């Protein structure tokens, strides 16, 4: 109220005092309440008519219209001293009447302005109807829960309000002083007429009187200005106290609700609903050009310009990691600010609340933000476009969504990636090119304006300045370092930079120490602007300073932009949803709309079912396949390294001794390891077989890559139990030591096993020899095939070696050197040049065939040898020790297969199932892996449909709540 009255007083004083006195009134201090800013008179307004209009928080409001300027009176020259002397009485009477009317107008205007200001103040009080959803049912019994008497006592008394009215006594004294000045002027004139003083002396006396009057007038004006400033401060402190008590009252209501007094479920706030939409859009990439044009406040600036500090002042907490001169913001950080009873912060993907009133939680929050930033940066990069989403709630915080971007740099320094500068520019442009984004351009006031990079970037993205708010930081350093303070005025008036803006603000974000608290920074900012000549001399306006006024302005612009654009964006997503649904109906009419996560869960269940099916494999099937595969793996070793060398011996004792030694060596070194390899391969093949059989039913081929990856990764992670090898070795050793064939069926089974093995090896050997010598005469004549020179040489060598075998049927397995020489000379005599190595290779295959043929003949003879075996071949020329060897091998294979089957079904299948579950869980947490393994237009279309529907639904709910708030 006093401010409005002061406006009238200032007008009156200005009309009374001559313009040549050069009086400048001090501008109100920072931290002005919107009410005080609303009634601030406009004599400190910007004189630049080219200035673009501010948004709602940055505009001037006044309860008084500008008084019309009185045109200067023209003084006609040539009047004599006699005329001046004749009309001094009339001039004196006119001035006294003028003072009377001014005094009367001041009183009437002050009373009217006070009443109007009081009405405006009542209108600006918050409309509690928008909080009806949180008002408890006991609101009519509020006096029982809140001490209304204490609240009423905190309101200002009528006497205090009366003190804010203009001091009429002082005004009367000032008018008396002005009247005395006029009287002294009149007295001086009469004295001048009565005395006979030279003209030169009279002029000197008049000049000294004028200098004395000027100094006295200046002192009075300074007193009036100081009194006006003190009155404004007192009025502003009273408003701040009322605002604080209003916040405390709202906090009490919210806390009562938290304690359970209000049993209704609290709805999400508008800003939380809006933030959820932005979180979904941050991961959405539409193929229908439905771009994200929803508003948010984008904070951009040069590195170390104070972006993070401004954001912390708005959030009222030191929540970001700090560093001296190094890059700390390595990825965009989306901060959702909202009002709440407690000052807390929370990440969107976490349930932990950080209490911003505790230094331990603040340190933990800063550490967590730094870890998330470093984790989002890929190897070899310095910054990342991945957004970190954070919400901050607290009493008195303005509702808005801000995005803090990495600082713009001009030079890539050591330790940075080569494309760091371009990456930061691309990230900043991606956010600023949104036509509804509000750009908060941060400029460091302590450095030369010509060094700024961000202003050019902002002017490119918003040439008209319709959505840009300019903030000059570190004004305290700028005032101290700049030789010309008017340069700061040029910056905040938009005359120095080529960019345009809605509003210009000047703030101070502390003394540069990382240990400063928000309260100490606010106090420092208030003290600075209170004593700053920038305000005192009118270079800055009261509404342009402090982070509080900045926060109010940004919040107002943000919500204005939201209300203007959100419905248009909702319509765009509605059209996109229609297009996507039409494409799905045309291409996949009989399939459900399953997104990537739902498809993954379906594939996960199918894979687990396939793994469980392994436990349903019969015992006979396991043992049969294990025995067969194990024999395929070890048969070559048994024939070549055990049976063939032992058969070269002269008697049965030597044969059995050789067999026992070689079996013992084989069991100790190779056999258990080979058996476990066979068991593991069998498990893999059965697992793959079950997957293939399941696929043959109603399997969706979209899961093929995922299943193959799960199978490979599970097998890679699986490790067989090491203790199983030791126990298996003992079992196999005991099985091979047993030579007692108890009955004739076992003997016949051994004969059959031996015969099948020998026939298979003989067939393989004949095939190898046929490949060595080439086609025979039938194939050459009937199929028109010819032998190669090498095959011709091998054929001649084979014929020569066959003649040698006919002469020595009991020949050993190896040729002597003289025999090799004899064969080579015989071939040379027929014109065939041959190498000794080729002779030995050919002999090895021929002797193997010769040996296997003899072994088969011996096997047929031993069919009836079980009787002689029972008598230990006493008084018998037939010895069937080789049959006993094959029986031992066959029994070992059966026992090994049974042991491996038990280990598979009891242990390894369960471990494989566990590995599969772990792999599926790991893949489920890895979004990139799922995108890589579950792909296709069908998947992408379902993903887009889900997100577009979710965005549209949330936008419609937000718009409905927004209309209700209006």
């Amino acid at each position: 109220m006093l401010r409005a009255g002061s406006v009238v007083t200032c007008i009156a004083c200005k009309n009374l005092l001559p313009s040549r006195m050069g009086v400048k009134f001090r501008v109100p201090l920072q931290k002005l309440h919107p009410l005080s800013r609303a009634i601030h008179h406009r004599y400190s307004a910007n004189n630049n008519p080219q200035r673009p209009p501010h948004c709602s928080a940055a505009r001037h409001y006044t309860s008084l219209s500008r008084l019309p300027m009185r045109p200067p009176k023209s003084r006609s020259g040539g009047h004599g001293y006699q005329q001046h002397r004749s009309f001094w009485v009339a001039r004196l009477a006119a001035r006294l009447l003028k003072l009377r009317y001014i005094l009367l107008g001041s009183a009437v205007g002050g009373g009217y302005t006070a009443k109007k200001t009081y009405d405006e103040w009542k209108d600006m009080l918050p409309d509690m109807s928008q909080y009806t959803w949180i008002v408890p049912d006991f609101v009519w019994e509020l006096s029982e829960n809140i001490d209304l008497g204490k609240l009423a006592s905190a309101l200002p008394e009528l006497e205090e309000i009366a003190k804010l009215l203009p001091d009429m006594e002082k005004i009367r004294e000032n008018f008396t002083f002005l009247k005395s000045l006029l009287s002294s002027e009149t007295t001086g004139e009469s004295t001048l007429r009565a005395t006979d003083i030279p003209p030169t002396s009279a002029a000197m006396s008049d000049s000294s009187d004028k200098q004395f009057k000027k100094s006295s007038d200046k002192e009075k004006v300074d007193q009036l200005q100081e009194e006006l400033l003190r009155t404004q401060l007192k009025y502003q402190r009273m408003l701040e106290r009322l605002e604080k008590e209003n916040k405390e009252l709202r906090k009490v209501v919210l806390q009562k609700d938290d304690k359970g007094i209000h049993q209704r479920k609290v709805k999400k706030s508008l800003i939380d609903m809006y933030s959820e939409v932005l979180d979904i859009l941050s991961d959405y990439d539409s193929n229908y050009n439905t771009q994200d044009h929803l508003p948010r406040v984008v904070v951009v600036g040069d590195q170390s310009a104070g972006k993070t500090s401004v954001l912390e002042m708005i959030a009222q907490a030191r929540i970001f990691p700090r560093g001296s001169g190094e890059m700390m913001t390595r990825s965009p950080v989306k901060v959702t600010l909202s009002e709440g009873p407690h000052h807390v912060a929370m990440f969107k993907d976490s349930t932990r609340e950080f209490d911003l009133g505790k230094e331990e939680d603040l340190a933990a929050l800063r550490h967590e933000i730094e870890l998330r930033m470093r984790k989002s940066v890929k190897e070899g990069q310095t910054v990342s476009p991945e957004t970190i989403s954070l919400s901050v709630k607290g009493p008195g915080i303005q509702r808005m969504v801000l995005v803090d971007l990495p600082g713009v740099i001009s030079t890539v320094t050591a330790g940075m990636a080569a494309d760091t500068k371009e990456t930061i520019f691309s990230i900043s442009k991606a956010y600023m090119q949104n036509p509804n984004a509000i750009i908060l351009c941060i400029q460091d006031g302590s450095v030369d304006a010509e060094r700024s990079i961000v202003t050019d970037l902002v002017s490119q993205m918003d040439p008209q300045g319709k959505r840009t708010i300019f903030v000059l930081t570190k004004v305290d350093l700028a005032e101290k370092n700049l030789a010309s303070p008017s340069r700061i005025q040029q910056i905040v008036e938009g005359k120095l930079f080529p960019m345009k803006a809605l509003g210009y603000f000047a703030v101070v974000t502390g003394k540069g120490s990382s240990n400063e608290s928000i309260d100490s920074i606010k106090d420092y900012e208030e003290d600075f602007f209170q004593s700053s000549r920038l305000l005192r001399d009118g270079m800055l306006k009261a509404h342009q300073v402090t982070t509080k006024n900045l926060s109010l302005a940004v919040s107002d612009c943000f919500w204005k932009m939201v209300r203007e654009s959100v419905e248009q964006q909702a319509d765009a997503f509605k059209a996109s949803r229609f297009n996507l649904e039409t494409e799905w109906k045309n291409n996949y009419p009989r399939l459900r709309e399953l997104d990537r996560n739902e498809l993954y869960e379906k594939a996960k269940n199918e894979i687990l079912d396939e793994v469980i099916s392994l436990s349903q494999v019969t015992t006979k099937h396991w043992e049969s396949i294990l025995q067969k595969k194990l024999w395929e793996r070890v048969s070559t070793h048994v024939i070549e390294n055990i049976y063939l060398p032992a058969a070269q011996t002269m008697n049965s004792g030597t044969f059995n001794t050789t067999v026992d030694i070689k079996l013992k060596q084989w069991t100790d070194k190779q056999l258990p390891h080979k058996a476990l390899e066979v068991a593991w391969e069998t498990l893999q093949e059965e697992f793959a077989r079950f997957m293939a059989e399941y696929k043959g039913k109603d399997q969706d081929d979209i899961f093929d890559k995922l299943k193959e990856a799960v199978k490979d990764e599970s097998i890679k992670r699986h490790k067989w139990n090491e203790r199983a090898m030791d126990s298996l070795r003992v079992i196999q050793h005991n099985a091979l030591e047993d030579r007692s064939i108890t009955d004739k069926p076992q003997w016949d089974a051994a004969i059959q096993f031996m015969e099948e093995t020998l026939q298979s090896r003989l067939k393989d050997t004949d095939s190898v020899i046929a490949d060595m010598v080439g086609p025979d005469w039938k194939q050459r004549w009937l199929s028109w095939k010819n032998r190669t020179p090498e095959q011709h040489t091998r054929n001649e060598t084979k014929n020569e070696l066959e003649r040698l075998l006919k002469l020595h049927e009991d020949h050993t397995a190896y040729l002597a050197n003289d025999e090799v020489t004899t064969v080579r000379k015989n071939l040379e005599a027929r014109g065939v040049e041959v190498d000794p190595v080729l002779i030995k290779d050919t002999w090895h295959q021929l002797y193997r065939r010769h040996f296997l043929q003899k072994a088969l003949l011996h096997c047929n003879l031993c069919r009836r040898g079980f009787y002689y075996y029972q008598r230990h071949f006493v008084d018998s020329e037939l010895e069937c020790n080789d049959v006993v060897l094959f029986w031992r091998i066959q029994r070992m294979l059966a026992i090994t297969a049974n042991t491996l089957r038990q280990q598979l079904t009891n242990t390894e299948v369960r471990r494989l199932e566990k590995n599969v579950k772990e792999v599926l869980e790991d893949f489920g947490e890895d979004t990139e892996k799922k995108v890589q393994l579950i792909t296709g237009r069908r998947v992408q279309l379902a993903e887009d449909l889900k997100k577009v529907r979710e965005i549209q639904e949330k936008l419609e709910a937000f718009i409905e709540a927004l209309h209700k708030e209006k």
Side-chain angles (χ1 to χ4, degrees), residues 312 315-320 335 337 342-346 353-366 369 390-395 397 517-518:
E312 287 179 337
Q316 300 181 14
R318 308 297 295 270
I319 59 178
F320 291 103
V335 183
L337 301 178
H342 306 289
H343 202 186
V344 295
M346 180 188 298
E353 280 192 350
F354 296 88
D355 189 350
L356 302 183
K358 298 179 180 179
E359 188 58 37
E360 299 82 6
D361 283 17
L362 274 173
L365 177 61
R366 289 192 289 265
I369 292 176
L390 177 70
S391 64
V392 177
K393 297 183 178 181
I397 296 180
S517 65
I518 295 296

Side-chain angles (χ1 to χ4, degrees), residues 393-411:
K393 297 183 178 181
I397 296 180
Q398 298 297 320
R399 302 177 304 167
M400 68 185 93
V401 177
L402 303 101
V403 182
D404 186 21
L405 300 180
V408 179
I409 61 175
S410 58
T411 305

Side-chain angles (χ1 to χ4, degrees), residues 134 252-264 266:
I134 64 170
V252 168
V253 174
L254 292 175
Q255 287 177 341
K256 293 289 185 182
D257 184 76
D258 290 341
K259 292 178 181 179
I261 296 177
H262 186 201
Q263 298 296 331
R264 288 176 296 177
V266 178

